[in-house]
Amino acid sequence: MLFLSLVLLALAYLVGSLPLGHWLLLRLGLDTRNVSAYNLGVENVLRQVGPTSAFTSAALDASKGFLAVLMASSLRQVDALGAGQIGAVQIGTGGAELCVMAGLACYLGHLNPPRLLYGDTLPRGRGNLVLLGILTGLSVVGGLNYWLTMLPLVVYAALLGLGGFISVATVSGLAVFAALLALSGLGPAAKIAGLALLLSAVWRFKENLGRVLDGTEPRVGDDVPMAGRQENVVVAAFMIHPLSLSDFWQTRRFAWMKPLVERGVISEGAVRQMAESLRPMKVGELSGIRTLEGKQIRAYLLSSPLMPEVFRDNPELATRRAIEGARLAQELGASVFGLGAFWSVVGNKGEDVQAAVPGIAVTNGGAYTSGTIRAAIPGILKHFADSGRDLKAATAAVVGANGVVAFGIARTIAPEVKKIIMVGRDAERLERSAVTLRRANPGTEVVTTTSYNLLRDASLIFTATSDPAPVIFPQHVSPGTWIFDEGRPADVDESVKNVPDVRIIPGGVVRPPGHMTTQVNLHFGEGAVPACLAETLIIAATGEYGRKSLGAQTLTENVNFYVEQAEILGFTVID
């Protein structure tokens, strides 16, 4: 009997793993793995293929749960036990327990099927219909009391109707089911299986539950955007990361840890280590963006909360998380995925991410970042001259001049100043770049250095490095200096603000059209975003996915494209 029971549980797992609904919809041209369960998968399948096919697919999934319990019930040896306790109706020698365990095996098979059935892209469904089939089977043929299976469904329906969150309703219904099993006359195997059902659902719904806490989870009936579904609505996704632990506390799902860290119950090191183990998640959304042409842009903010130093110390992990983020963006229905801050430099500046996830456009935002700098510099130089400074007699410095963006700044300002100091890490490359500048600007003195100390000679500093920590400190800056900081995270340390009359201007900041709102503080001011995020939004709005920025090269024609399209769509550079 034990051997037959184990065989039956294995069969129940295999039944649960069969992608019946997936196969049906695949024949209709819809891959359910790309209709995100993060966005209420069943509801979106209904919108994609219509009620007949959607309900047929749903019935196939529910039948798996019922069939698994039906097979287990065939092995029940019914004893004539009374119905004195809840759950003790026709419970044979382990028969009802076996039915509950078969239901668990079926659910686990649905959630974690063998890879050979799906390939590398496993399904993201939550198995609610399978659970419905299991509870129905347990009530009809599994020997469980009617109320033991009915009450969880009542709780599910009530919470779904009141709150609209499928994740909360499902977990609550299974919690009731596990509690009723614990109070029933069933043996320990059934009680453990009920608890395992609950824990499996909690683990599967963990991201949805976190988004409920953060206020970013859609409710049943919400108009969830999907790529290509509405002509006037486009969807983008953008990857961010915390600059410090204070950013980590922004989301409610992690905010509860802050007082524990402050009291010393949890160490900062433990939090940072935990953050490295977390896969990408949706932490916010940009709403209210509407172009001058009337097109609505929805943008999901995704995060794998790696701290800045991790990008330097463990680039392989950062690249892996970026690839996972691109896959999540695709599942969420986005058509383009942007890499922000230090994400923009991982995987050969996005090239490896794009190669791993070819189904969605990936951009590091470099082209429009260069364009915003080019657009902002004339205004900054004009303001500098209007403040009473003699621009033609001024010394300017460019920090990070080995990089494409910073060298572009150097080329722009070289004709306007008397002397330019190029600061970078590679002296040989700096000198080669300096030769180009000297040839084009014979009247401007060009100096190269790897030392930040020469910055004290400059009254105007432009900085654009990829360093995870500040590189400019008070000892590097003279009083009255203007600093244009394009670094993300900032290149200029907060303490520089204490230097008398220093003016720090954040670079690459853009205001999207419309009235943008978000739950996340992006540190660019209300209604403003970094240029790399703006590039992601422009790609989504125009559909020009071939203009994405990847690798170290930035094409001039793409820079011009973003500057022109930004003006047409209503994006404005903040200077």
Side-chain angles (χ1 to χ4, degrees):
M1 186 68 178
L2 175 61
F3 175 74
L4 289 177
S5 297
L6 293 175
V7 170
L8 188 142
L9 292 178
L11 287 174
Y13 171 84
L14 291 176
V15 167
S17 68
L18 291 175
L20 302 180
H22 169 71
W23 284 339
L24 171 67
L25 295 175
L26 203 58
R27 290 177 62 87
L28 300 175
L30 178 64
D31 189 342
T32 54
R33 295 170 296 180
N34 295 327
V35 180
S36 174
Y38 291 95
N39 271 348
L40 306 178
V42 173
E43 200 172 351
N44 277 324
V45 169
L46 179 63
R47 289 169 175 167
Q48 292 275 344
V49 300
T52 302
S53 298
F55 287 132
T56 302
S57 172
L60 287 173
D61 280 345
S63 68
K64 295 194 301 184
F66 188 90
L67 178 60
V69 176
L70 180 63
M71 291 190 303
S73 70
S74 66
L75 292 183
R76 280 196 305 119
Q77 298 177 9
V78 179
D79 287 335
L81 296 179
Q85 289 181 302
I86 187 170
V89 177
Q90 291 189 331
I91 301 173
T93 56
E97 293 182 18
L98 184 62
C99 289
V100 177
M101 294 171 65
L104 170 64
C106 179
Y107 185 57
L108 293 177
H110 182 79
L111 297 185
N112 305 284
R115 190 170 293 273
L116 60 89
L117 291 175
Y118 286 93
D120 292 334
T121 307
L122 294 178
R124 293 288 186 177
R126 295 301 187 258
N128 282 40
L129 293 164
V130 175
L131 288 173
L132 177 61
I134 291 170
L135 290 176
T136 303
L138 290 174
S139 177
V140 175
V141 298
L144 266 66
N145 185 284
Y146 174 78
W147 286 106
L148 195 150
T149 55
M150 188 64 186
L151 191 56
L153 294 176
V154 172
V155 170
Y156 171 85
L159 291 179
L160 186 61
L162 291 173
F165 295 119
I166 289 180
S167 54
V168 174
T170 302
V171 170
S172 299
L174 287 177
V176 171
F177 182 62
L180 291 175
L181 285 177
L183 295 173
S184 74
L186 294 175
K191 296 175 181 180
I192 292 173
L195 179 61
L197 264 177
L198 171 62
L199 295 179
S200 299
V202 170
W203 181 254
R204 192 63 163 192
F205 277 106
K206 63 184 182 299
E207 167 63 11
N208 300 79
L209 295 172
R211 282 165 40 186
V212 170
L213 290 175
D214 292 339
T216 62
E217 175 76 348
R219 301 173 189 265
V220 171
D222 284 356
D223 184 19
V224 179
M226 294 291 289
R229 190 162 64 86
Q230 295 173 282
E231 280 190 19
N232 65 334
V233 179
V234 293
V235 189
F238 189 73
M239 192 83 156
I240 60 176
H241 63 80
L243 301 181
S244 65
L245 281 181
S246 60
D247 288 332
F248 190 72
W249 312 135
Q250 280 196 54
T251 57
R252 294 175 192 165
R253 71 178 85 185
F254 300 128
W256 61 272
M257 300 174 67
K258 182 179 180 181
L260 298 180
V261 172
E262 292 174 344
R263 294 185 177 94
V265 178
I266 302 176
S267 69
E268 286 193 8
V271 174
R272 291 174 183 272
Q273 187 173 7
M274 181 199 72
E276 292 182 25
S277 68
L278 296 175
R279 293 168 64 92
M281 62 196 77
K282 176 186 172 186
V283 296
E285 182 177 342
L286 303 183
S287 304
I289 302 176
R290 190 176 295 275
T291 69
L292 297 181
E293 299 172 334
K295 184 170 289 186
Q296 182 183 359
I297 307 176
R298 300 278 293 272
Y300 297 122
L301 298 176
L302 312 183
S303 177
S304 176
L306 302 184
M307 297 297 170
E309 62 272 12
V310 177
F311 293 87
R312 178 194 61 214
D313 300 337
N314 196 346
E316 294 81 10
L317 173 62
T319 300
R320 187 164 71 250
R321 292 288 183 255
I323 291 171
E324 293 167 351
R327 289 178 178 145
L328 174 57
Q330 186 176 13
E331 291 166 6
L332 285 168
S335 62
V336 59
F337 176 61
L339 298 167
F342 287 111
W343 293 114
S344 64
V345 300
V346 305
N348 293 316
K349 295 192 173 182
E351 289 182 334
D352 296 346
V353 181
Q354 182 67 89
V357 192
I360 186 172
V362 178
T363 184
N364 62 34
Y368 190 45
T369 298
S370 298
T372 58
I373 294 170
R374 190 180 71 182
I377 286 176
I380 292 172
L381 296 180
K382 182 178 184 302
H383 292 325
F384 183 82
D386 291 345
S387 68
R389 312 289 189 94
D390 185 356
L391 187 60
K392 289 297 184 181
T395 295
V398 177
V399 180
N402 286 131
V404 174
V405 172
F407 182 64
I409 295 174
R411 286 192 301 181
T412 302
I413 66 173
E416 310 296 333
V417 297
K418 180 180 180 181
K419 178 180 178 181
I420 185 168
I421 302 170
M422 299 175 63
V423 183
R425 293 178 176 176
D426 189 327
E428 185 177 343
R429 282 182 58 198
L430 278 177
E431 189 56 36
R432 288 200 300 268
S433 299
V435 170
T436 302
L437 286 185
R438 293 182 187 118
R439 187 182 303 118
N441 305 279
T444 302
E445 181 183 356
V446 181
V447 176
T448 62
T449 180
T450 58
S451 172
Y452 285 85
N453 293 328
L454 285 186
L455 293 179
R456 290 192 62 86
D457 296 339
S459 55
L460 191 58
I461 298 174
F462 296 85
T463 177
T465 78
S466 297
D467 207 293
V471 295
I472 299 176
F473 295 90
Q475 64 267 28
H476 302 136
V477 180
S478 297
T481 301
W482 285 33
I483 308 175
F484 182 71
D485 188 356
E486 174 57 34
R488 290 295 173 269
D491 288 336
V492 181
D493 190 75
E494 284 288 320
S495 59
V496 174
K497 294 179 180 179
N498 298 323
V499 178
D501 300 322
V502 163
R503 181 178 178 184
I504 302 173
I505 307 164
V509 181
V510 178
R511 192 178 305 281
H515 303 283
M516 189 196 81
T517 60
T518 181
Q519 307 94 330
V520 179
N521 181 5
L522 296 174
H523 301 295
F524 292 94
E526 185 176 353
V529 300
C532 50
L533 172 49
E535 176 174 318
T536 307
L537 301 177
I538 292 171
I539 292 174
T542 60
E544 292 282 350
Y545 304 113
R547 300 279 188 178
K548 60 194 177 186
S549 299
L550 290 174
Q553 297 299 319
T554 302
L555 298 178
T556 301
E557 63 182 86
N558 285 346
V559 174
N560 295 335
F561 168 82
Y562 286 113
V563 171
E564 293 167 1
Q565 288 299 315
E567 184 175 355
I568 293 171
L569 297 172
F571 290 80
T572 55
V573 178
I574 300 174
D575 54 28

Tab-separated table of all heavy atoms in Angstrom, residues 77 87 90 97 122 229 263 292 302 316 323 340 382 396 407 449 453 459 474 527 552:
chain	number	residue	atom	x	y	z
A	77	GLN	N	-9.574	3.177	1.684
A	77	GLN	CA	-10.272	2.050	2.289
A	77	GLN	C	-11.251	2.642	3.290
A	77	GLN	O	-10.862	3.115	4.350
A	77	GLN	CB	-9.292	1.108	2.996
A	77	GLN	CG	-8.269	0.481	2.060
A	77	GLN	CD	-7.275	-0.376	2.806
A	77	GLN	OE1	-7.445	-0.635	3.989
A	77	GLN	NE2	-6.237	-0.803	2.103
A	87	GLY	N	-14.200	16.974	9.351
A	87	GLY	CA	-13.189	16.286	8.563
A	87	GLY	C	-13.198	14.781	8.762
A	87	GLY	O	-12.399	14.087	8.168
A	90	GLN	N	-16.338	9.646	6.469
A	90	GLN	CA	-15.825	8.579	5.608
A	90	GLN	C	-14.301	8.642	5.449
A	90	GLN	O	-13.762	8.565	4.352
A	90	GLN	CB	-16.486	8.637	4.227
A	90	GLN	CG	-17.967	8.259	4.258
A	90	GLN	CD	-18.544	8.116	2.880
A	90	GLN	OE1	-18.092	8.761	1.945
A	90	GLN	NE2	-19.540	7.268	2.747
A	97	GLU	N	-6.264	11.390	4.064
A	97	GLU	CA	-4.936	11.999	4.174
A	97	GLU	C	-4.197	11.901	2.838
A	97	GLU	O	-3.542	12.856	2.399
A	97	GLU	CB	-4.131	11.294	5.265
A	97	GLU	CG	-4.672	11.505	6.673
A	97	GLU	CD	-3.811	10.822	7.707
A	97	GLU	OE1	-2.649	10.494	7.376
A	97	GLU	OE2	-4.279	10.624	8.833
A	122	LEU	N	10.158	28.940	-17.498
A	122	LEU	CA	9.108	28.238	-16.763
A	122	LEU	C	7.892	29.135	-16.594
A	122	LEU	O	7.997	30.361	-16.651
A	122	LEU	CB	9.636	27.800	-15.396
A	122	LEU	CG	10.753	26.745	-15.421
A	122	LEU	CD1	11.226	26.443	-14.008
A	122	LEU	CD2	10.295	25.476	-16.111
A	229	ARG	N	-1.176	46.381	-26.481
A	229	ARG	CA	-2.610	46.144	-26.297
A	229	ARG	C	-3.419	47.382	-26.629
A	229	ARG	O	-4.536	47.283	-27.119
A	229	ARG	CB	-2.889	45.686	-24.862
A	229	ARG	CG	-4.303	45.193	-24.656
A	229	ARG	CD	-4.414	44.361	-23.401
A	229	ARG	NE	-4.142	45.114	-22.204
A	229	ARG	CZ	-5.055	45.832	-21.551
A	229	ARG	NH1	-6.277	45.908	-22.020
A	229	ARG	NH2	-4.746	46.475	-20.450
A	263	ARG	N	18.369	49.573	16.511
A	263	ARG	CA	18.515	49.052	17.877
A	263	ARG	C	19.615	48.000	17.977
A	263	ARG	O	19.887	47.483	19.063
A	263	ARG	CB	17.187	48.448	18.353
A	263	ARG	CG	16.073	49.469	18.520
A	263	ARG	CD	14.829	48.804	19.107
A	263	ARG	NE	13.765	49.753	19.342
A	263	ARG	CZ	12.793	50.016	18.478
A	263	ARG	NH1	12.763	49.385	17.310
A	263	ARG	NH2	11.859	50.893	18.767
A	292	LEU	N	2.996	65.217	-25.678
A	292	LEU	CA	2.224	66.301	-26.304
A	292	LEU	C	1.282	65.763	-27.373
A	292	LEU	O	0.294	66.418	-27.712
A	292	LEU	CB	3.182	67.329	-26.914
A	292	LEU	CG	4.102	68.064	-25.929
A	292	LEU	CD1	4.985	69.062	-26.665
A	292	LEU	CD2	3.299	68.767	-24.841
A	302	LEU	N	11.776	48.734	-11.354
A	302	LEU	CA	12.207	47.440	-10.828
A	302	LEU	C	13.499	47.624	-10.039
A	302	LEU	O	14.279	48.533	-10.321
A	302	LEU	CB	12.448	46.454	-11.973
A	302	LEU	CG	11.362	46.344	-13.046
A	302	LEU	CD1	11.742	45.273	-14.057
A	302	LEU	CD2	10.009	46.049	-12.428
A	316	GLU	N	29.694	39.920	-11.724
A	316	GLU	CA	28.952	38.767	-12.258
A	316	GLU	C	27.556	38.704	-11.655
A	316	GLU	O	26.564	38.444	-12.359
A	316	GLU	CB	29.708	37.463	-11.980
A	316	GLU	CG	31.038	37.331	-12.700
A	316	GLU	CD	32.166	38.072	-11.990
A	316	GLU	OE1	31.952	38.534	-10.836
A	316	GLU	OE2	33.251	38.207	-12.581
A	323	ILE	N	19.947	40.673	-15.888
A	323	ILE	CA	19.280	39.758	-16.824
A	323	ILE	C	17.939	39.319	-16.250
A	323	ILE	O	16.917	39.285	-16.959
A	323	ILE	CB	20.185	38.556	-17.117
A	323	ILE	CG1	21.407	39.006	-17.931
A	323	ILE	CG2	19.422	37.456	-17.845
A	323	ILE	CD1	22.474	37.931	-18.096
A	340	GLY	N	19.508	51.794	-15.076
A	340	GLY	CA	19.826	53.065	-14.445
A	340	GLY	C	21.011	52.974	-13.501
A	340	GLY	O	21.343	51.899	-12.999
A	382	LYS	N	26.260	80.198	-19.987
A	382	LYS	CA	25.656	81.534	-20.045
A	382	LYS	C	25.393	82.059	-18.628
A	382	LYS	O	25.705	83.223	-18.312
A	382	LYS	CB	24.358	81.503	-20.838
A	382	LYS	CG	23.686	82.868	-20.994
A	382	LYS	CD	22.427	82.761	-21.835
A	382	LYS	CE	21.823	84.145	-22.077
A	382	LYS	NZ	21.498	84.847	-20.821
A	396	ALA	N	38.441	75.552	-16.726
A	396	ALA	CA	37.415	74.536	-16.482
A	396	ALA	C	38.084	73.178	-16.349
A	396	ALA	O	39.149	72.935	-16.922
A	396	ALA	CB	36.404	74.501	-17.632
A	407	PHE	N	34.225	63.128	-22.095
A	407	PHE	CA	35.004	63.676	-23.208
A	407	PHE	C	34.113	64.510	-24.128
A	407	PHE	O	34.558	65.519	-24.689
A	407	PHE	CB	35.676	62.552	-23.998
A	407	PHE	CG	36.526	63.061	-25.130
A	407	PHE	CD1	37.648	63.832	-24.877
A	407	PHE	CD2	36.189	62.795	-26.452
A	407	PHE	CE1	38.432	64.326	-25.924
A	407	PHE	CE2	36.959	63.273	-27.494
A	407	PHE	CZ	38.085	64.039	-27.233
A	449	THR	N	45.698	65.056	-16.285
A	449	THR	CA	46.213	64.650	-14.980
A	449	THR	C	45.370	63.506	-14.423
A	449	THR	O	44.197	63.346	-14.786
A	449	THR	CB	46.204	65.822	-13.986
A	449	THR	OG1	46.724	65.371	-12.716
A	449	THR	CG2	44.794	66.345	-13.768
A	453	ASN	N	43.839	66.982	-7.259
A	453	ASN	CA	44.290	68.214	-6.600
A	453	ASN	C	44.275	69.413	-7.540
A	453	ASN	O	44.085	70.558	-7.095
A	453	ASN	CB	45.703	68.018	-6.025
A	453	ASN	CG	45.712	67.006	-4.883
A	453	ASN	OD1	44.727	66.908	-4.140
A	453	ASN	ND2	46.794	66.255	-4.755
A	459	SER	N	37.524	77.126	-11.872
A	459	SER	CA	36.346	77.822	-11.339
A	459	SER	C	35.056	77.179	-11.857
A	459	SER	O	33.960	77.539	-11.424
A	459	SER	CB	36.383	79.301	-11.742
A	459	SER	OG	36.500	79.435	-13.149
A	474	PRO	N	35.896	68.521	-0.315
A	474	PRO	CA	36.195	69.951	-0.106
A	474	PRO	C	37.630	70.344	-0.424
A	474	PRO	O	37.875	71.458	-0.916
A	474	PRO	CB	35.873	70.147	1.386
A	474	PRO	CG	34.813	69.135	1.669
A	474	PRO	CD	35.168	67.944	0.831
A	527	GLY	N	8.733	65.238	-9.955
A	527	GLY	CA	8.387	65.270	-11.369
A	527	GLY	C	9.567	65.184	-12.310
A	527	GLY	O	9.412	65.421	-13.508
A	552	ALA	N	29.895	50.638	-25.253
A	552	ALA	CA	30.603	51.885	-24.968
A	552	ALA	C	30.383	52.957	-26.031
A	552	ALA	O	30.604	54.141	-25.774
A	552	ALA	CB	32.096	51.607	-24.833
